[in-house]
């Protein structure tokens, strides 16, 4: 081989090996961000739009773990408490963020870029995800609860839904509208066991019936007259006017029933409005009416406050990349992307003041001002007419609530399914709640 050719060959070999090193370095720098995500429609939309984030950030690859609500909570809690670092981004809520932030388990959401415009994020949402003034998660959407109903079915029976219904009125409507022979049920409500499934809703019923989880000395109150009245009302209503198998229905199952025209009424999260009013996703989009969540003896705690939010566990090895993804998925720009893809009615609700100022949103979402007011008026510091030693409307803001709240949820689901009486369910629940706070040292 001639010297010139040999020299060229060596140069080529050197260049090729240098390119290989660059490629290897690039591959080494490409970070995988593993996301523990809820399987609700808004979150599935996020996954659908996420290639835009990967395209803008070629060094980051997203790995999605999409889970049913109860499973997500279990997996996220196990991961964070064992410090295993399985997830880089976790979808958590207003229950977990302050508690986990307090324990140093989450990376603070500080030093956000100026164009993120944190002041545009609804203050109630920021406060609910903070501990001691430090923000530990960014809200993906914020919700309260409200009443949905079928305007056409109400009109056919000559019924009028008040702006602020009472539970007695809801029962009267459900009795008149229940028509199983036509596949329509008077009311759909959460029955699936779980502290964030059936107990989120049931606790608001208990609150407005004048009940509370604990008295000021942390004695469980589940066998009180208010709990018995509230839970008996709920169980009887579902048994008489609800769909079959109601004890298996959570948010997603009831959303499917309502959007396919099977429910005359549904009391649940305000976030469902965007789906029910979307003609592509709802068969009854032009027939949906809305009202406030019902009250009974007090308005206190009658409608909840919740945020599904995104947080970075301290155990994550890719914290900067994870934070970058969270900033993108909770940004104004992301809201614009959803509006373009699904229409303004379907954008994540309750998070940004600017969304509620958009004429396009107001026009597409007739429920928008109503929802914002419900979110801003829910008061986690006064969830009951009687004084309580905890905060939280639809949950008790202590770490032990996850376990005893789910135990109570299982007992109440058992009462809906006819496996036990309400009295038996509440006696078992009361014992579990009392035992948990006693062991944790809360009881005075």
């Amino acid at each position: 081989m001639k010297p010139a050719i040999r020299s060229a060959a060596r140069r080529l070999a050197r260049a090729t090996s240098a390119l290989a090193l660059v490629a290897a370095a690039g591959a080494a720098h490409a970070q995988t961000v593993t996301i523990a995500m809820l399987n609700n429609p808004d979150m599935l939309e996020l996954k659908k739009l996420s290639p835009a984030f990967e395209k803008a950030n070629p060094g980051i690859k997203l790995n999605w773990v999409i889970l049913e609500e109860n499973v997500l909570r279990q997996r996220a809690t196990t991961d964070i408490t064992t410090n295993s670092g399985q997830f880089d981004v976790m979808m958590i809520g207003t229950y977990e963020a302050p508690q986990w932030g307090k324990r140093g388990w989450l990376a603070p959401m500080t030093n956000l870029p100026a164009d993120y415009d944190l002041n545009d994020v609804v203050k109630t949402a920021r406060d609910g995800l903070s501990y001691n003034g430090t923000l530990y998660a960014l809200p993906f959407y914020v919700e309260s609860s409200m009443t949905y109903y079928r305007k056409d079915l109400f009109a056919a029976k000559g019924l009028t839904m008040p702006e602020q219904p009472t539970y007695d009125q809801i029962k009267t409507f459900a009795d008149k509208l229940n028509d199983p022979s036509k596949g329509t049920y008077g009311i759909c409500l959460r029955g699936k066991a779980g502290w964030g499934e059936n107990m989120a809703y049931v606790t608001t019923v208990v609150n407005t019936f004048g009940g509370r989880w604990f008295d000021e000395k942390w004695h469980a109150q589940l066998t009180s007259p208010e709990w018995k009245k509230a839970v008996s009302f709920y169980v009887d209503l579902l048994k008489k006017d609800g769909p079959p198998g109601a004890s298996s229905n959570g948010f997603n199952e009831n959303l499917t029933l309502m959007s396919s025209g099977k429910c005359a009424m549904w009391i649940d999260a305000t976030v469902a409005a965007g789906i029910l009013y979307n003609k592509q996703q709802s068969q009854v989009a032009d027939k949906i009416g809305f009202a406030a969540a019902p009250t009974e003896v007090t308005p206190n705690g009658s409608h909840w406050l919740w945020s599904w939010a995104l947080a970075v566990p301290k155990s994550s090895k890719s914290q900067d990349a994870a934070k970058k993804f969270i900033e993108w998925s909770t940004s104004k720009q992301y809201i614009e992307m959803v509006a373009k893809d699904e229409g303004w009615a379907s954008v994540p609700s309750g998070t940004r003041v600017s969304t509620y100022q958009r004429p396009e949103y107001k026009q597409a979402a007739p429920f928008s001002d109503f929802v914002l007011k419900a979110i801003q008026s829910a008061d986690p510091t006064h969830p009951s007419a009687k004084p309580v030693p905890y905060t939280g409307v639809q949950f008790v803001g202590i770490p032990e609530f996850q376990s005893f709240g789910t135990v109570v949820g299982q007992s109440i689901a058992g009462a809906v399914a006819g496996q036990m009486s309400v009295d038996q369910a509440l006696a078992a629940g009361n014992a579990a709640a009392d035992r948990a706070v006693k062991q944790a040292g809360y009881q005075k």
Side-chain angles (χ1 to χ4, degrees):
M1 190 184 284
K2 290 181 180 174
I5 295 172
R6 247 198 324 270
S7 165
R10 275 199 300 271
R11 279 200 305 274
L12 183 64
R14 275 199 302 272
T16 306
S17 96
L19 281 170
L21 282 169
V22 169
H29 284 118
Q31 288 179 293
T32 297
V33 170
T34 299
I35 305 158
M37 185 63 67
L38 182 66
N39 67 341
N40 281 5
D42 291 78
M43 292 66 170
L44 300 179
E45 174 73 4
L46 174 60
K47 181 177 186 284
K48 177 185 163 188
L49 296 177
S50 66
F53 173 81
E54 289 177 310
K55 194 177 174 187
N57 298 275
I60 302 172
K61 185 179 178 341
L62 302 177
N63 174 36
W64 296 82
V65 181
I66 295 179
L67 303 163
E68 183 269 329
E69 188 168 321
N70 289 336
V71 180
L72 170 71
R73 290 189 154 125
Q74 207 171 12
R75 292 271 301 272
T77 304
T78 302
D79 187 66
I80 201 109
T81 52
T82 57
N83 201 35
S84 67
Q86 194 183 350
F87 302 116
D88 302 298
V89 173
M90 284 180 181
M91 181 151 266
I92 61 171
T94 32
Y95 170 75
E96 297 93 348
Q99 294 187 54
W100 295 1
K102 179 184 179 183
R103 282 168 179 72
W105 292 346
L106 301 173
M109 286 291 162
T110 48
N111 303 319
L112 296 164
D115 69 349
Y116 185 80
D117 193 4
L118 186 59
N119 285 333
D120 184 48
V121 176
V122 173
K123 190 177 183 298
T124 329
R126 281 182 280 147
D127 292 349
L129 299 167
S130 299
Y131 174 73
N132 251 358
T134 301
L135 191 60
Y136 285 99
L138 294 177
F140 180 65
Y141 68 62
V142 186
E143 62 180 33
S144 185
S145 50
M146 65 196 280
T147 303
Y148 301 101
Y149 67 97
R150 286 274 300 279
K151 292 188 289 190
D152 56 331
L153 299 180
F154 267 69
K157 295 271 185 182
L159 303 172
T160 304
M161 172 69 81
E163 281 179 37
Q164 176 57 77
T166 66
Y167 269 110
D168 290 339
Q169 288 170 323
I170 292 291
K171 184 185 179 339
T172 303
F173 295 149
D175 288 348
K176 289 181 178 173
L177 295 163
N178 193 42
D179 196 351
S181 64
K182 290 185 179 165
T184 307
Y185 302 97
I187 195 156
C188 292
L189 298 169
R190 295 188 190 193
K192 184 192 277 187
W195 70 264
E197 277 282 9
N198 64 343
M199 292 319 297
Y201 172 68
V202 170
T203 301
T204 64
V205 182
V206 169
N207 291 341
T208 195
F209 270 73
R212 53 185 173 168
W213 273 90
F214 298 96
D215 68 13
E216 293 137 294
K217 293 186 176 175
W218 285 101
H219 296 121
Q221 299 294 296
L222 280 73
T223 51
S224 67
E226 293 90 351
W227 267 83
K228 286 187 180 180
K229 197 173 174 191
V231 175
S232 297
F233 175 90
Y234 157 81
V235 169
D236 293 346
L237 185 60
L238 264 185
K239 279 185 176 177
K240 189 178 178 196
D241 297 323
S247 61
S248 303
N249 294 342
F251 171 78
N252 278 334
E253 292 81 5
N254 283 319
L255 176 60
T256 301
L257 286 168
M258 187 77 193
S259 58
S260 59
K262 302 279 194 296
C263 316
M265 291 183 291
W266 179 34
I267 303 158
D268 212 302
T270 55
V271 75
I275 295 145
L276 293 176
Y277 277 82
N278 184 331
K279 289 184 172 66
Q280 277 73 51
Q281 295 174 296
S282 168
Q283 294 170 30
V284 290
D286 56 345
K287 300 179 177 72
I288 295 289
F290 60 87
T295 55
E296 192 59 18
V297 300
T298 175
N300 288 36
S302 60
H303 57 291
W304 70 59
L305 178 67
W306 182 257
S307 171
W308 277 115
L310 296 165
V312 180
K314 276 274 182 75
S315 52
S316 163
K317 308 284 187 297
S318 306
Q319 290 187 26
D320 289 344
K323 194 175 168 197
K324 201 170 200 181
F325 169 73
I326 292 176
E327 287 166 6
W328 173 81
S329 55
T330 59
S331 66
K332 291 178 186 178
Q333 291 76 11
Y334 176 74
I335 286 171
E336 296 279 344
M337 283 179 72
V338 177
K340 202 172 170 185
D341 187 57
E342 279 285 336
W344 273 99
S346 297
V347 302
S349 58
T351 56
R352 288 188 170 269
V353 176
S354 56
T355 302
Y356 288 84
Q357 291 168 344
R358 290 291 293 253
E360 304 96 318
Y361 185 57
K362 285 180 180 290
Q363 194 180 342
F367 48 82
S368 62
D369 288 344
F370 171 87
V371 167
L372 187 62
K373 188 181 166 197
I375 288 167
Q376 290 173 330
S377 64
D379 186 358
T381 60
H382 295 101
S384 172
K386 294 176 180 175
V388 293
Y390 56 86
T391 59
V393 178
Q394 77 283 22
F395 58 78
V396 176
I398 57 172
E400 295 75 16
F401 181 68
Q402 285 192 84
S403 54
F404 72 77
T406 292
V407 170
V408 175
Q410 287 161 347
S411 295
I412 290 176
V416 172
Q419 294 158 357
M420 63 177 84
S421 70
V422 167
D423 281 0
Q424 288 169 323
L426 293 179
N430 201 73
D434 245 345
R435 192 164 50 245
V437 294
K438 200 173 280 181
Q439 284 172 354
Y442 290 92
Q443 279 193 7
K444 307 282 191 287

